[in-house]
Amino acid sequence: MSNAAVIRIKPYHYIHVLDNNTNVTSVEVGPQTFTRMDHQTVTAGPNDMIMIPPRHYCIIQNPVVRDEEGDVIFDKNNQAVLRHGDEEIRFEQEPFALFPGEKLYGKVAPLQVVAPNTAIRLRAIRDLDDKVAGDEWLFRGPGTYIPRVEVQVVEIVRATIIKPNQALRLRARKEFVDATEVVRQAGEEWIVRNTGAYLPDVNEEIRETVSAYVLTDKKAIQLEADQTFVDVFGVKRKAGEQWLVTFDDAETHIPDVYEKVVGEVRVTTLNSRQYCVVLDYVNEKTGKPVLGGRQLRVGERSFFLKPGERLENGIQAVHVLDSEEALLLRAREAYNDEDESRLPGDRWMIYGPCDYVPPVQVEIVEKRRSIPLDENEGIYVRDIKTGQVRDVTGESYMLSPYEELWEKDLPEVVEELLGKDGRYQGLGQRGGRVGTRDRTRVVTYRTPHNSAIQIYDYKQKQARVVFGPELVMLGPEEQFTVLSLSGDVPKRPHQIKALALLLGPDFMTDVVVVETSDHARLSLKLSYNWHFDVDHENLESSESIFNVPDFVGDSCKAIASRVRGAVAAHSFDEFHKHSARLIREAVFGLTAEGKVKERFHFPSNNLVITNIDIQSVEPVDQRTRDALQKSVQLAIEITTKSQEAAARHEAERREQEARGRLERQKIADEAEAERAKTELLRLQAQSAAVESTGQASAEARARAESSKIEGEAAVEQADLAAQAEKIRAEAELAQIKAKQETEIGHQRSLNELEISRARDLADIEAIKFKSIVDAIGADTLQSIAQAGPEMQARLLQGLGLKSFLITDGNSPINLFNTAN
């Protein structure tokens, strides 16, 4: 704004002039020189006119009102009429000035170009043409969008590229008719599978891009319908229904909006040696599952498990049986097996060698193998129909359909003893079993030598005795008789558990406390030798040895009773002197002649005691033990002192004898020493004479020998020097010769290489010359050779000269022969 009186308005510029008298503002446009009156005020300017280039537009707020011809309408005061609060979009035109009240909103902007695969989402903010306020539509490219004040640009929408094996999941914003002329309800979803660029409608909303599942001959997909609809294959699917889409149906599959992918299903492949049983299989004709049904499928084949189908025990191998194997079968339901009718529950066997695939009506109970048994081996077999149990030994046995292996139970103590070979074991030495016994095998026991075992049959209610060495095999109803014997010292009951009864001879030790007539209590440690007097051929005699359960305890009690009775009738001193005789008489008894018997026989079990050994006698009372110990010590001291006196006397006697022998020996040694001294002096004299004579002769001999050695050494040294010189000369000669030969050979090689090189170069030059000659040609060479003389001849003919000679004047020329 300028307050100058004269304002020069440039071209394409304008000013606003306010007439203070009429309060009307007018526009003055250049180029002109405006003279401002006193009642005029310049309210704006000079300003640049609005210039709109091609393909541009601008927005004018509060635009002026124009008539049908485009002229500005003025009121009665000559003031331009404005549309207050309204806007007007102006496009390419001549530069124009803004009337008072008009404003430029923003800047002059280019028209918006809509690219291909894009669109502009428009919204009507006023009613226009066939649109009402609030309507939305798309202006699709390619094209140039011409803006209008009634229309608002909401956003730019870009097309989504649908790649191969992809689709778009759309949802309708409201009810409308889509591009395929299908009426869509608000909230409805559908899939667009057409490959390429897809520009969604204004009423369409893209939910997601769905990728296709690639199907192969080894992979399928399992689908589930969310509601009833018709799928892409034209099949009507009900809500909740599940089905498979495989490679046979399509190479790829895009799930529909009403399809839910449950998961991928891998192909099930069976080779020629496999089979499987499908539970709840789907009927191929009806397509419905047969609930509870079972279908056998045998390889070679590949298939997909349909929804609801499952394998029973997975993929199974064909049962291959050799000649010693069989399969125990049981019928699940009635069916005919090779013209033989089977009822439910029937059992039968298939024997090898063969391979077998069980039908769905048959259940394989177990696989059996023939059990090879030696003569000393066996098994327990039970008939499941009758319940009878028997043992089978010494053959290769295959169980029949209604037979099974029976487990024989043994008492825990018997199991423990069998694990330790049944030998005597103290309670403190019992441990765990050695290994685990196969309960279906016949129980065997190797009876040791000179022993016996008793076996009782609870079914026949009778016992049998087996003498060792023998192998015992228990029947189904037989059990071992376990011996519970007394043990330890002194004897305590039930200390030893055993299966075999050793027949002896053996010994046992016990401690017996007795009391003499004078009330001296003594502890006797006795050891008894025993054996069983049994006739193996006599059944009654054999069974009698087991009549007494604890023969050790009973025999020790019986013997102790006899010993206590015998000792009680004698005093301590008498018993101490004759203990062995008294005890033997008490145990064995006396014959009619008054002699001690040799054995003590127990008729109840034929046990015989043959000898008694008194290992120790100790008083029980402490005072008696001390008195006995003192008397024993006193007797020992007396005996020791008498022995010491006798030994001392004998030592003195031997000392006197030794001293006499020593004196005599000393005199004899002195005489011998004098004789030796005389002989020594004689030998010393001889040695001195020999020494003086030998020294002179040795020195002369040594000097001669030394001279001889020196001469021989000088001669040998000269020979060696000559040989060394000869060797050195020969070595130098050989070295020079080798060097010369090497140089000659090297030079010869160089010469040969040079000759070869020269030959190769000559060959190359010859080949090159020949190639050049061949390339130029014989006629060309002839022409070149003749060109020089012919040219000279023509030059001479042209000059009229017969011949000529050119020289530099420094070299003398003999012209005498030139004329010739």
Side-chain angles (χ1 to χ4, degrees):
M1 184 175 63
S2 177
N3 294 324
V6 178
I7 300 174
R8 294 176 174 82
I9 304 174
K10 298 180 181 179
Y12 302 110
H13 285 69
Y14 69 95
I15 61 173
H16 289 175
V17 179
L18 173 63
D19 189 337
N20 294 322
N21 294 330
T22 62
N23 285 328
V24 175
T25 303
S26 60
V27 178
E28 299 295 335
V29 180
Q32 66 170 319
T33 300
F34 177 74
T35 302
R36 182 175 63 83
M37 301 299 180
D38 290 340
H39 63 278
Q40 292 179 336
T41 302
V42 178
T43 58
N47 294 330
D48 293 337
M49 288 185 179
I50 305 301
M51 296 183 182
I52 304 178
R55 299 187 62 79
H56 284 67
Y57 74 98
C58 69
I59 300 175
I60 303 299
Q61 293 180 340
N62 305 323
V64 296
V65 180
R66 299 178 183 271
D67 57 14
E68 295 179 357
E69 298 178 357
D71 296 330
V72 179
I73 299 176
F74 295 91
D75 59 8
K76 61 183 180 178
N77 297 319
N78 202 24
Q79 177 75 41
V81 180
L82 301 180
R83 290 181 292 162
H84 293 283
D86 199 357
E87 293 180 347
E88 182 182 60
I89 298 177
R90 299 177 183 178
F91 301 96
E92 176 188 358
Q93 57 182 291
E94 293 295 328
F96 62 90
L98 292 178
F99 285 90
E102 289 184 335
K103 294 181 181 178
L104 176 64
Y105 178 77
K107 298 180 180 180
V108 178
L111 293 175
Q112 186 172 359
V113 177
V114 182
N117 296 330
T118 59
I120 299 177
R121 184 177 178 184
L122 305 176
R123 180 184 298 145
I125 58 178
R126 305 179 190 175
D127 294 342
L128 75 158
D129 299 336
D130 58 342
K131 303 287 192 302
V132 295
D135 283 351
E136 292 184 354
W137 67 97
L138 293 180
F139 179 83
R140 302 174 184 272
T144 301
Y145 172 66
I146 307 299
R148 299 181 63 175
V149 294
E150 298 88 356
V151 179
Q152 178 186 5
V153 176
V154 179
E155 63 178 347
I156 297 177
V157 180
R158 290 179 173 81
T160 301
I161 305 300
I162 303 177
K163 300 179 182 179
N165 296 330
Q166 284 187 343
L168 289 181
R169 185 172 183 175
L170 305 179
R171 182 171 64 183
R173 299 176 186 268
K174 64 178 183 179
E175 182 180 355
F176 78 105
V177 179
D178 66 3
T180 59
E181 302 301 328
V182 177
V183 178
R184 303 293 183 182
Q185 301 297 327
E188 180 183 355
E189 294 185 357
W190 67 97
I191 295 291
V192 175
R193 294 182 171 85
N194 297 329
T195 304
Y198 182 78
L199 193 62
D201 191 79
V202 68
N203 296 316
E204 295 176 350
E205 177 187 356
I206 297 178
R207 293 295 306 278
E208 62 178 342
T209 300
V210 182
S211 297
Y213 286 86
V214 179
L215 306 177
T216 64
D217 55 351
K218 297 183 179 179
K219 183 177 71 173
I221 57 174
Q222 181 176 343
L223 304 177
E224 181 179 358
D226 291 334
Q227 67 182 48
T228 303
F229 76 106
V230 178
D231 63 8
V232 294
F233 304 109
V235 180
K236 185 177 181 180
R237 304 293 183 182
K238 295 184 178 180
E241 180 182 355
Q242 293 186 354
W243 69 97
L244 287 183
V245 178
T246 64
F247 184 74
D248 297 334
D249 299 326
E251 295 182 358
T252 60
H253 181 72
I254 299 175
D256 203 279
V257 291
Y258 303 118
E259 294 177 350
K260 181 175 69 175
V261 178
V262 178
E264 294 184 355
V265 179
R266 292 289 177 179
V267 68
T268 301
T269 303
L270 303 177
N271 60 28
S272 60
R273 309 302 297 168
Q274 291 179 334
Y275 73 96
C276 67
V277 177
V278 181
L279 302 179
D280 302 334
Y281 67 94
V282 176
N283 192 312
E284 296 293 339
K285 296 181 179 179
T286 63
K288 303 297 181 181
V290 182
L291 299 180
R294 304 171 76 251
Q295 185 182 55
L296 176 65
R297 299 180 183 179
V298 183
E300 299 176 351
R301 64 181 299 182
S302 297
F303 59 92
F304 292 99
L305 287 177
K306 296 182 179 179
E309 294 183 341
R310 52 195 174 91
L311 295 181
E312 181 183 44
N313 300 326
I315 297 176
Q316 305 178 56
V318 174
H319 297 275
V320 180
L321 306 177
D322 61 20
S323 59
E324 298 297 326
E325 291 180 334
L327 288 177
L328 177 59
L329 307 178
R330 180 169 57 202
R332 298 176 183 267
E333 55 187 81
Y335 88 107
N336 294 326
D337 178 20
E338 297 179 358
D339 300 332
E340 184 175 354
S341 178
R342 302 288 186 185
L343 298 178
D346 280 354
R347 297 162 65 105
W348 72 98
M349 296 182 71
I350 296 292
Y351 298 92
C354 67
D355 53 6
Y356 182 72
V357 177
V360 294
Q361 299 88 351
V362 176
E363 173 190 3
I364 297 179
V365 180
E366 64 178 353
K367 185 177 182 179
R368 290 181 174 179
R369 188 173 184 84
S370 178
I371 305 174
L373 301 174
D374 193 11
E375 294 181 357
N376 297 330
E377 295 179 331
I379 56 173
Y380 297 112
V381 179
R382 178 174 177 267
D383 192 322
I384 61 176
K385 284 186 174 181
T386 63
Q388 182 180 1
V389 180
R390 61 190 179 92
D391 55 345
V392 179
T393 60
E395 62 176 318
S396 181
Y397 187 75
M398 173 69 77
L399 296 176
S400 66
Y402 289 95
E403 288 182 343
E404 65 179 4
L405 292 176
W406 181 75
E407 293 186 353
K408 182 177 180 62
D409 293 327
L410 295 176
E412 184 178 356
V413 63
V414 176
E415 294 278 10
E416 198 171 318
L417 293 174
L418 286 176
K420 298 179 179 179
D421 292 336
R423 300 185 183 278
Y424 289 161
Q425 297 289 341
L427 281 178
Q429 299 175 344
R430 291 183 185 177
R433 300 176 183 174
V434 182
T436 302
R437 179 179 66 88
D438 185 358
R439 296 177 180 269
T440 61
R441 291 278 178 165
V442 171
V443 179
T444 60
Y445 176 70
R446 293 177 176 83
T447 307
H449 177 71
N450 197 26
S451 65
I453 62 171
Q454 187 181 41
I455 300 170
Y456 187 79
D457 191 331
Y458 285 89
K459 184 176 182 180
Q460 299 181 1
K461 296 183 179 180
Q462 64 180 12
R464 61 187 177 100
V465 178
V466 179
F467 294 94
E470 183 65 39
L471 179 68
V472 178
M473 304 179 70
L474 287 187
E477 305 297 335
E478 291 182 335
Q479 292 288 349
F480 290 107
T481 299
V482 181
L483 301 177
S484 179
L485 306 178
S486 298
D488 209 349
V489 178
K491 288 292 181 283
R492 292 185 297 167
H494 308 298
Q495 295 297 303
I496 298 175
K497 302 291 183 182
L499 297 179
L501 177 64
L502 298 180
L503 301 180
D506 203 344
F507 70 93
M508 53 187 173
T509 303
D510 193 12
V511 174
V512 180
V513 178
V514 299
E515 186 174 355
T516 62
S517 61
D518 52 359
H519 304 291
R521 292 175 57 82
L522 302 176
S523 176
L524 307 181
K525 188 174 183 181
L526 306 178
S527 181
Y528 318 123
N529 289 359
W530 60 269
H531 70 275
F532 284 97
D533 188 6
V534 59
D535 184 5
H536 294 184
E537 303 297 332
N538 189 343
L539 179 61
E540 183 179 356
S541 175
S542 300
E543 294 178 349
S544 65
I545 61 177
F546 292 95
N547 289 341
V548 179
D550 184 6
F551 77 92
V552 175
D554 290 352
S555 60
C556 287
K557 289 178 182 178
I559 294 172
S561 176
R562 292 194 176 197
V563 171
R564 279 193 292 268
V567 174
H570 298 82
S571 64
F572 173 75
D573 291 337
E574 185 179 357
F575 175 75
H576 188 66
K577 294 178 181 178
H578 308 289
S579 59
R581 181 176 59 79
L582 292 176
I583 291 175
R584 290 180 63 84
E585 288 179 355
V587 174
F588 294 117
L590 299 175
T591 62
E593 291 82 10
K595 294 183 179 179
V596 179
K597 295 181 180 179
E598 295 182 355
R599 50 187 285 173
F600 176 31
H601 181 258
F602 292 88
S604 60
N605 61 348
N606 292 327
L607 177 66
V608 177
I609 305 298
T610 58
N611 190 20
I612 298 179
D613 180 22
I614 304 173
Q615 294 184 349
S616 65
V617 178
E618 295 182 358
V620 177
D621 186 23
Q622 185 64 33
R623 289 177 298 176
T624 305
R625 185 182 304 170
D626 295 341
L628 181 60
Q629 187 175 2
K630 287 181 181 179
S631 63
V632 172
Q633 289 178 353
L634 181 60
I636 292 174
E637 288 179 0
I638 293 172
T639 304
T640 302
K641 289 180 179 179
S642 63
Q643 291 177 353
E644 287 179 353
R648 185 167 53 254
H649 178 71
E650 181 67 20
E652 291 177 354
R653 184 182 65 78
R654 290 181 180 180
E655 184 181 1
Q656 291 296 331
E657 291 179 356
R659 189 178 294 112
R661 288 195 299 273
L662 180 60
E663 290 296 331
R664 289 196 299 272
Q665 185 65 32
K666 186 183 295 184
I667 294 170
D669 291 342
E670 289 178 355
E672 185 66 28
E674 289 297 330
R675 286 195 296 272
K677 189 182 295 183
T678 303
E679 183 66 22
L680 177 60
L681 292 174
R682 186 178 63 79
L683 292 175
Q684 285 178 351
Q686 291 178 358
S687 176
V690 171
E691 183 179 358
S692 59
T693 305
Q695 183 176 3
S697 60
E699 289 178 356
R701 195 178 301 110
R703 283 194 296 271
E705 189 69 22
S706 174
S707 300
K708 180 180 178 182
I709 290 171
E710 288 178 357
E712 291 177 352
V715 173
E716 186 175 359
Q717 183 177 5
D719 292 340
L720 292 176
Q723 291 178 4
E725 186 65 26
K726 180 179 179 182
I727 292 171
R728 188 182 298 107
E730 290 177 352
E732 291 178 354
L733 179 61
Q735 183 177 4
I736 294 171
K737 183 178 180 182
K739 182 178 180 182
Q740 292 176 352
E741 290 177 353
T742 303
E743 291 178 353
I744 293 171
H746 178 65
Q747 189 62 36
R748 184 182 298 110
S749 300
L750 292 177
N751 295 339
E752 290 176 354
L753 290 174
E754 188 66 28
I755 293 170
S756 177
R757 178 173 174 274
R759 185 182 299 110
D760 293 342
L761 290 176
D763 293 341
I764 292 171
E765 290 295 331
I767 294 171
K768 178 181 178 183
F769 182 75
K770 185 176 182 300
S771 300
I772 293 172
V773 171
D774 293 340
I776 295 174
D779 297 336
T780 305
L781 290 175
Q782 182 178 359
S783 301
I784 292 172
Q786 294 176 357
E790 290 179 355
M791 182 61 69
Q792 292 177 2
R794 290 194 186 98
L795 289 174
L796 293 177
Q797 289 176 0
L799 296 174
L801 300 176
K802 298 291 185 175
S803 65
F804 64 93
L805 181 65
I806 299 174
T807 180
D808 55 359
N810 294 325
S811 300
I813 299 174
N814 186 4
L815 300 176
F816 292 102
N817 296 327
T818 302
N820 296 330

